[in-house]
Amino acid sequence: MSNPKPTLVIGAGVIGAAIALDLQRRGRQVILIDRAAPGRGASFGNMASIAVTEFMPASRPSVWRHIPGWLIDPEGPICVRPAHMPRLVPWFWRFLLASRPAKLRALEAQGAALCSRALADTQQMLRDIDLSEDLSDTGCLSLYANDAEFRADAERIDVLDRFGFAYDVLDRNQLHDLEPQIDSTITKALRLPDNRTVRDPLRIVTRLVDRFEALGGRVEGGEVSGFERSGHITAVRLSDGRVLPCAEAVLAAGAFTAKLAKQLDEPIPLETERGYHTQVMDPGVTLRHSIIWPAKAFMVSPTAGGIRIGGTVEMAGLETPPDWRRAKITVRRAREALPNLRLNDTSEWMGHRPAMADTVPVISASAKTPGVYYATGHGHLGLTYAATTAKLMGQLIAGERPELDLHPYRIDRF
């Protein structure tokens, strides 16, 4: 008897790699495909955070009311390249539709449902690949220079209260005891104990792929150029002419999934939010916690052998060259919180976060082509959601009842 056709997982970031390993452990033959080496996209440059409290929809009015001002501020937290604006009109329209009060409450609940599982699922995934020690046991600190900044974050605190996520309010002395390097002008903080940091995001992807291959999985380099269907998905075509037969195809290619979905006559409102980071290997400061400063729109994480500084959003498509000024803006702001920060041995990175207009990912079977599945649109929470998404996708593809109702995350919800 001939071997059954394999399942193809397109995209070897942390989500695709975690899905591929889950399916391989279920006894399927799996091929993992990526245009680059595993983990070299957004999974390489993320902020190394299991950010279980950061699920608030970006479409809430308290955000979009500021967008016009941000767009004319060259150092604002959101930047849109003028040439890309016409292409964003449909996406922004859906973004605004997602700002209605009832819709926002539903989206908050959908994000919270994933985030409430994320830490435990991540801990299990790391145990399974012998990287438990790569997850910090300290949380994240959200910084406020004054009471006005703290009050401005009341909406976020309300959401944490409503969904039962843990936090502590710290005064200046308590904050200094935890992180003495933070400047004395920061007078208050939230400690978010379940927002953990990983030691090295790339190492997680590499270990997932190593385990996948050890179980008989196969990694193929190549760019997907098309699909073959006959009622059901039958094969994936690569740009070099290869054709890979398949029983199922899982599209987990991050921001590049939009092009693939369009080829399957299933367009989704998925954009790239281009993110930048600066990795500092000799920072001259030591942090036990990751830190965010909401009013300044940046984050600092101790990871990859140093500290990583990131933040802000740039909307400019997949092909536009990087604007490295975006990375430098966040570094300047980070030095306001960390005045002793040294910029020795640094590198800069830009990558593509896959952003859905309603901030909620797609975790779904295709509505049009049997055998096709989607795991995309995780935005800033790809690492946070990776283990949970892999578990849910494995259950869905295996024909089991997923632990979470996936109806809100379906591809045809728009």
Side-chain angles (χ1 to χ4, degrees):
M1 180 182 293
S2 61
N3 290 329
K5 291 182 179 179
T7 299
L8 306 184
V9 178
I10 302 167
V14 66
I15 291 172
I19 292 170
L21 179 57
D22 183 278
L23 293 172
Q24 191 71 29
R25 283 177 167 155
R26 292 173 178 273
R28 273 175 158 72
Q29 293 185 34
V30 185
I31 300 175
L32 183 60
I33 306 168
D34 204 296
R35 51 193 284 154
R40 290 293 175 176
S43 294
F44 174 85
N46 65 51
M47 289 305 296
S49 178
I50 308 302
V52 301
T53 64
E54 305 308 301
F55 56 85
M56 289 180 66
S59 56
R60 60 194 188 276
S62 58
V63 173
W64 61 251
R65 280 198 295 263
H66 293 287
I67 289 177
W70 288 338
L71 292 181
I72 62 175
D73 179 358
E75 296 195 0
I78 296 177
C79 172
V80 179
R81 300 276 185 103
H84 194 61
M85 282 186 178
R87 295 183 57 186
L88 281 176
V89 170
W91 189 90
F92 268 122
W93 174 243
R94 293 192 179 278
F95 178 85
L96 292 173
L97 289 177
S99 68
R100 295 166 293 172
K103 183 65 174 175
L104 280 176
R105 287 298 176 105
L107 295 173
E108 289 168 357
Q110 292 157 25
L114 291 171
C115 275
S116 65
R117 299 162 179 265
L119 179 57
D121 287 343
T122 300
Q123 289 170 326
Q124 183 61 58
M125 180 182 76
L126 293 178
R127 283 194 295 269
D128 290 345
I129 58 174
D130 298 325
L131 284 182
S132 292
E133 298 303 314
D134 274 25
L135 184 68
S136 73
D137 58 6
T138 55
C140 176
L141 300 173
S142 183
L143 309 180
Y144 309 94
N146 49 55
D147 287 339
E149 285 189 7
F150 184 71
R151 288 193 300 270
D153 214 18
E155 184 179 30
R156 178 176 176 220
I157 296 170
D158 174 66
V159 168
L160 300 181
D161 285 335
R162 279 195 284 116
F163 291 102
F165 287 88
Y167 67 89
D168 302 309
V169 181
L170 308 179
D171 62 23
R172 171 59 208 158
N173 291 334
Q174 292 168 316
L175 174 61
H176 185 268
D177 288 343
L178 290 178
E179 292 290 359
Q181 294 290 345
I182 293 176
D183 192 71
S184 60
T185 58
I186 308 299
T187 62
K188 189 170 288 189
L190 282 186
R191 186 179 71 92
L192 303 163
D194 293 333
N195 284 17
R196 308 296 181 82
T197 305
V198 301
R199 188 171 296 173
D200 187 339
L202 179 60
R203 177 158 60 187
I204 292 174
V205 182
T206 301
R207 185 66 62 85
L208 288 167
V209 173
D210 287 346
R211 291 297 170 88
F212 164 72
E213 291 184 304
L215 290 173
R218 195 170 107 214
V219 178
E220 289 282 352
E223 184 171 1
V224 173
S225 61
F227 302 89
E228 295 184 3
R229 294 174 285 173
S230 179
H232 189 283
I233 189 76
T234 59
V236 169
R237 296 193 302 271
L238 303 184
S239 58
D240 60 9
R242 284 178 291 163
V243 177
L244 300 178
C246 65
E248 296 113 357
V250 182
L251 277 60
F256 295 89
T257 308
K259 291 182 177 180
L260 303 177
K262 191 173 182 180
Q263 292 181 49
L264 289 163
D265 307 313
E266 210 158 20
I268 49 178
L270 178 66
E271 266 291 335
T272 169
E273 289 185 358
R274 291 149 57 105
Y276 292 81
H277 85 220
T278 300
Q279 181 74 28
V280 187
M281 300 307 292
D282 181 15
V285 297
T286 301
L287 289 175
R288 295 182 61 245
H289 302 74
S290 59
I291 62 172
I292 54 176
W293 192 346
K296 301 288 185 177
F298 75 83
M299 181 174 189
V300 181
S301 295
T303 192
I307 66 167
R308 182 169 293 180
I309 305 166
T312 79
V313 167
E314 182 186 45
M315 311 293 280
L318 293 169
E319 306 299 336
T320 309
D323 179 357
W324 296 115
R325 292 174 297 180
R326 303 298 298 171
K328 292 173 174 57
I329 290 167
T330 53
V331 169
R332 286 202 304 273
R333 291 175 178 170
R335 296 186 87 172
E336 294 181 43
L338 299 168
N340 296 322
L341 174 64
R342 296 196 308 249
L343 300 178
N344 296 331
D345 191 7
T346 66
S347 59
E348 295 176 329
W349 172 91
M350 187 278 287
H352 299 281
R353 307 184 191 106
M356 301 298 294
D358 61 3
T359 316
V360 172
V362 174
I363 305 171
S364 175
S366 169
K368 291 190 174 182
T369 305
V372 171
Y373 298 86
Y374 294 89
T376 191
H378 295 74
H380 297 242
L381 297 176
L383 179 60
T384 302
Y385 287 157
T388 300
T389 298
K391 179 187 291 187
L392 294 169
M393 288 297 293
Q395 292 165 349
L396 179 64
I397 294 168
E400 302 171 12
R401 182 175 181 176
E403 294 176 10
L404 183 66
D405 178 11
L406 295 182
H407 184 73
Y409 314 97
R410 66 195 183 280
I411 190 167
D412 58 346
R413 66 181 186 258
F414 302 99

